[in-house]
Amino acid sequence: MNDNKEISVLYFNTRDELIRVDLRKVGFFKADRNYTDVYFLNNHRVTLPTNLMSIEKMLDDDRMRGRTIPFVRIGRSVIVNLSHIIHINVPKQELVLSDMTSPCILKVEVNKEALRKLKDLYIANKNK
């Protein structure tokens, strides 16, 4: 069975751990050399044993194309969940994310040029 719930989960298996990443609960992925930190909407962070390029490939994989969770890479080190953007502040180089149901908010620092492109992309997608 291939429903959206099944499609929106990634698993990462290491020698000692199994990490389950529910993409609906992810605010953003951030590069950390050969690892990737996942920032969840509840302010929990998990480090994955893979680089950001591999995460990007997984999100673009054919089996993931049916997902309804829109992720986009911004800049060199961040992949963000477009569904949870609540504030883009270009001058402060800050992106704010929330699911608007929990009291937690996520803030990520991103360079101005990447934020300008994200703002343009976000507006273009919302006007369709």
Side-chain angles (χ1 to χ4, degrees), residues 28-43:
F28 64 94
F29 296 92
K30 185 169 178 125
D32 183 12
R33 292 183 220 99
N34 290 331
Y35 296 90
T36 301
D37 291 327
V38 182
Y39 291 83
F40 292 94
L41 294 166
N42 65 357
N43 266 347

Side-chain angles (χ1 to χ4, degrees), residues 60-84:
D60 288 338
D61 191 357
D62 285 340
R63 68 181 178 81
M64 296 298 291
R65 292 190 195 278
R67 75 187 186 289
T68 58
I69 303 151
F71 284 92
V72 65
R73 187 166 184 162
I74 55 172
R76 295 175 57 203
S77 63
V78 176
I79 296 175
V80 67
N81 184 337
L82 291 175
S83 306
H84 299 300

Side-chain angles (χ1 to χ4, degrees), residues 2-3 7 12 14 16-18 22-24 38 44 48 58 62 76-77 82-83 90 92 98 108 110 115-116 128:
N2 229 2
D3 62 10
I7 290 174
F12 297 87
T14 69
D16 298 321
E17 296 179 301
L18 175 68
D22 184 340
L23 296 173
R24 297 168 297 173
V38 182
H44 184 69
L48 301 176
M58 286 179 203
D62 285 340
R76 295 175 57 203
S77 63
L82 291 175
S83 306
V90 176
K92 288 185 178 179
S98 174
V108 60
V110 181
L115 282 178
R116 279 189 195 100
K128 287 184 179 180

Side-chain angles (χ1 to χ4, degrees), residues 82-100:
L82 291 175
S83 306
H84 299 300
I85 293 174
I86 61 169
H87 190 195
I88 298 172
N89 189 323
V90 176
K92 288 185 178 179
Q93 299 183 31
E94 185 177 77
L95 182 63
V96 180
L97 301 111
S98 174
D99 64 0
M100 302 304 283

